Amino acid sequence: MKHSLIMTTAVSALIVNGGLLSTASAQDADEDSFGLEEIIITAERRAASLQDVPVAVSAFTASELDARQINEPIDIVDYIPNLFGANNTGLGTANSYYLRGIGNTESIATFDPPVGTYVDNVYIARQNGNNVSFFDVERVEVLRGPQGTLFGRNTTGGAISVHMKKPSEEAGGFLELGYGDFGRWQARASVDTPISDTVLTKLSAFFVDGDGFVDNITTGQTLNGEKSYGVRGDLRVKSDDFTWDLALEYIDDESANIVSAFPGQTVFDGPPSGNSTDRFSQTGIRATSTTGTVEQLSQGEGLGNNVESWGITSTFNWGVDFGSFELISSYRELSQDFILDFFDGTGAQGGFTIANQGQHNQHSQELKYASEDTFENLSVVAGIYYFKEDNFTDLTDVFALPFGNLVLADRQIENDLETYAGYVQGDYSLNEKLIFTAGVRWTREEKNIIFTDTENDLLAAGLPNLLVFPTAPEAELTNANLTAAGIPTTQVQKEWTPRFALQYRANDDFMMFASATRGFKSGGWNARATAPEEATAFTAEKVWSYEAGFRSEWLDNRLRINLTAFYMDVSDFQVPSAFVRSNGSIAFITNNFADLENKGIELEVTAVPVPGLNIYGSLGLQDGEQKPGAPIQAQVDECLAGVPSTAGLGIVDANCNIADPTRTPDVTLNIGANYLIAINEDVSVQPSVNYRYVGSQNISTNGVGFALADGYSNINAAIAFSFLDDQLSLIAECNNCTNEVIQTAILANTVYYNEPRRFNFRLKYDF
């Protein structure tokens, strides 16, 4: 209630102050000519107004994305209640999302993210490359809670769905150039070129090149820069009966998130007091174009991360007398090479370093049917779905010891997945005000894994600067040894994921709803194991989510208030954790350590009190608790009995208590505004500001030491000047304007932070 009061007061103050500031410019405005923009979304796999959908969803149009400085997927987290997100440890190309307490810090291919990423309704399986600059986006939808009926597996936390702009019937486009702190250049462009009334094309591209903000005091280089580019081509062919969209894209991204520290500290010392832009690294590995191979690491080269991906998507939609069919076909390839030092060692091979090469391919096929008013009082969405994925990963772990660089493991992992599903959901109008929704999805998936131990091959190669010891046959990472240890190398899962909802529309501006939804996330293996007994399997994560809330608009469509309350019951909760072995090396273990219960409230408010002024705010409150199973409870009992090795391990904290769920802050608060002011017929100005507060949280699994991160505030702001009837725009913006130092992740006691304050200037021309 305290935080709700704070937000209500703040939003009211913004409305009042905004109204006072804008009175002069709005005196001559037609009071009936403005209001909130209607947002059409596809959260239920068919087009509907945001206010008519009984789903917890936040949506942003292209204009709002631009006004709020949302240039890449990670920027969206500042505006969503109960969502936490940050770059993964080491990987600037990978976003780790936690939504309502469910998330993933692991990017290896045997572990699936529970917050699904979709582009034009195509699921992006690998988290490795989910943080790339947007091309030309129509809207972004963030669905909170499990979406198992219509979106399928691996959406226990929710889904981030990006929808690209399709080719226009009119020739035009835009060109944008930008420059900012740390030598960061950026460019974006998009051109629509219709060939005829029925054949339309679009070509979009982006480029980013930044120097970075971390000074390596050992090599003299600058780290954590960004170099990425991409191109996308779209073709649309249409007639009165069908529309065919074909898209082909290519992206190359070399962004890394290398651990760093502050003056007078090490990466193990935690955050500094106060604000600081000075970031240091002392790893002895030189940052060069990485191949991700242990051969390159042995030469002290290749520090960095590179992701290269391409994909093709075909969407064919045709209408018939009894509804419409949509056939969505997609193929994507992603390769990732990296060499990353997670302990910041001064030696030429670092402290604890992983060299990784990965190749990941996916193919999906979906046939969907949707009806609107075809059947009396009933609307239906139904479909069949097929997905296949093949992954190959070659990785080596190297740990620096006083007598040399010890190779802990060198192995290759091949894992594949084949899954198919069928789903149906119907909305039945019981009367003019009451709609009942029921749906279900059946999914079957099969996963297989093959381990190949190549450490003895590495020994035979005799690479310099590496210590490799022979591996006994019974200690090799092979399928035979996994089977001998009782670890399955095939997993088959069959699941029903239903959804039920009831919505009541009191009038055109007020709708109430309640729902129950089930979802599940795939099981997998601990593929970072260095010994067969560590390559354990974990089972599927399952969740029931119960929601109730309302969608409302007030004051002649000038105020929108949406509220959702939820309760989630997660069984076999998958938790990735880093353990320190007796020799000081790291074991990465994922297991179904506990169940999870989480409950909370999500409030979203948007207001347009006067023409041009857009005020928004959101509040997320949640209370998550992990419920341990028998093995973890036994660990707690041993800890309480004084066994020292059981404290601060897994999800048990130093006081023998179960730690808070990872990255599940009790409070997330967001307040912002943008105001478009017309100076004259040819010139306008739009200032914008956004404030975000996130409460204290556990950013690791055991809640020990620096894993307990303090709450923080973050401010982004911008001012945009438009000329020549909005054709030319000049934008000045700052991210993290107050230069807050924020802990975003922790890995084996090394702490990762957000980027320092960044000023940026952009020039955009629309034609």
Side-chain angles (χ1 to χ4, degrees), residues 698-713:
N698 173 22
I699 60 171
S700 182
T701 54
N702 58 15
V704 174
F706 299 120
L708 295 177
D710 295 332
Y712 64 86
S713 299

Side-chain angles (χ1 to χ4, degrees), residues 433-450:
K433 296 181 178 295
L434 196 61
I435 298 175
F436 175 67
T437 298
V440 67
R441 187 186 193 102
W442 180 80
T443 302
R444 184 193 187 277
E445 66 171 29
E446 180 175 334
K447 288 186 170 185
N448 299 280
I449 194 166
I450 299 173

Side-chain angles (χ1 to χ4, degrees), residues 25-49:
S25 62
Q27 284 177 349
D28 298 328
D30 181 355
E31 292 297 321
D32 296 324
S33 64
F34 68 95
L36 289 163
E37 177 184 7
E38 182 183 22
I39 303 177
I40 302 299
I41 62 174
T42 55
E44 291 193 305
R45 304 301 308 276
R46 62 175 169 228
S49 172

Side-chain angles (χ1 to χ4, degrees), residues 98 101-106 108 110-115 153-154 156 445 447 491 493 519-526 537-543 570-577 589-596 626 651 661-662 701:
Y98 275 74
I102 301 180
N104 170 33
T105 57
E106 179 59 271
I108 201 160
T110 60
F111 192 98
D112 295 315
V115 179
R153 50 190 283 279
N154 299 340
T156 48
E445 66 171 29
K447 288 186 170 185
Q491 296 189 46
Q493 192 78 29
F520 85 98
K521 183 165 84 73
S522 299
W525 290 269
N526 287 294
F538 49 90
T539 62
E541 176 181 284
K542 305 168 187 176
V543 56
V570 185
S571 59
D572 296 321
F573 186 38
Q574 297 174 5
V575 181
S577 186
I589 302 294
T590 297
N591 212 328
N592 308 100
F593 286 119
D595 295 338
L596 172 70
Q626 297 183 98
I651 64 171
T662 303
T701 54

Side-chain angles (χ1 to χ4, degrees), residues 193-322:
T193 308
I195 297 175
S196 67
D197 292 340
T198 58
V199 181
L200 314 174
T201 67
K202 175 190 285 286
L203 183 65
S204 305
F206 74 87
F207 172 80
V208 178
D209 189 359
D211 295 335
F213 52 87
V214 174
D215 294 324
N216 189 323
I217 60 177
T218 301
T219 66
Q221 296 177 302
T222 302
L223 305 178
N224 285 6
E226 180 181 0
K227 186 174 183 180
S228 61
Y229 62 91
V231 61
R232 176 184 172 98
D234 286 89
L235 169 70
R236 166 166 281 193
V237 180
K238 63 176 187 173
S239 73
D240 293 338
D241 299 322
F242 74 87
T243 301
W244 179 47
D245 288 302
L246 181 68
L248 177 65
E249 69 177 42
Y250 171 83
I251 297 173
D252 187 286
D253 194 342
E254 297 182 16
S255 305
N257 180 28
I258 296 168
V259 66
S260 61
F262 298 88
Q265 295 184 306
T266 72
V267 295
F268 300 97
D269 290 335
S273 58
N275 301 335
S276 176
T277 56
D278 297 325
R279 309 282 178 97
F280 291 87
S281 168
Q282 58 181 7
T283 181
I285 310 172
R286 289 193 58 82
T288 59
S289 181
T290 186
T291 62
T293 62
V294 66
E295 290 82 4
Q296 188 180 30
L297 173 61
S298 70
Q299 301 294 330
E301 303 280 338
L303 182 72
N305 169 53
N306 176 247
V307 171
E308 186 177 10
S309 65
W310 71 271
I312 184 169
T313 301
S314 168
T315 303
F316 191 83
N317 191 303
W318 71 99
V320 293
D321 293 339
F322 52 91

Side-chain angles (χ1 to χ4, degrees), residues 301-437:
E301 303 280 338
L303 182 72
N305 169 53
N306 176 247
V307 171
E308 186 177 10
S309 65
W310 71 271
I312 184 169
T313 301
S314 168
T315 303
F316 191 83
N317 191 303
W318 71 99
V320 293
D321 293 339
F322 52 91
S324 64
F325 288 91
E326 189 172 46
L327 179 64
I328 306 171
S329 310
S330 178
Y331 178 80
R332 301 182 69 90
E333 290 189 1
L334 182 149
S335 62
Q336 180 177 43
D337 301 326
F338 67 75
I339 294 176
L340 297 170
D341 179 8
F342 294 94
F343 271 15
D344 200 34
T346 57
Q349 281 69 46
F352 170 67
T353 304
I354 296 179
N356 180 101
Q357 289 183 303
Q359 183 68 41
H360 314 282
N361 307 326
Q362 68 171 70
H363 165 65
S364 63
Q365 194 78 47
E366 182 175 13
L367 177 62
K368 179 174 70 72
Y369 165 76
S371 72
E372 289 291 345
D373 301 324
T374 302
F375 312 107
E376 185 176 0
N377 299 326
L378 178 66
S379 297
V380 175
V381 174
I384 53 176
Y385 179 78
Y386 174 81
F387 182 87
K388 182 174 175 57
E389 183 183 13
D390 295 290
N391 301 288
F392 174 82
T393 308
D394 187 340
L395 70 160
T396 307
D397 298 351
V398 177
F399 188 62
L401 293 171
F403 55 83
N405 300 297
L406 176 64
V407 175
L408 298 174
D410 186 46
R411 65 282 201 200
Q412 295 176 348
I413 304 159
E414 298 175 68
N415 64 291
D416 62 69
L417 159 76
E418 187 171 33
T419 181
Y420 49 86
Y423 62 89
V424 60
Q425 179 170 297
D427 296 337
Y428 183 73
S429 299
L430 299 172
N431 55 47
E432 292 182 356
K433 296 181 178 295
L434 196 61
I435 298 175
F436 175 67
T437 298

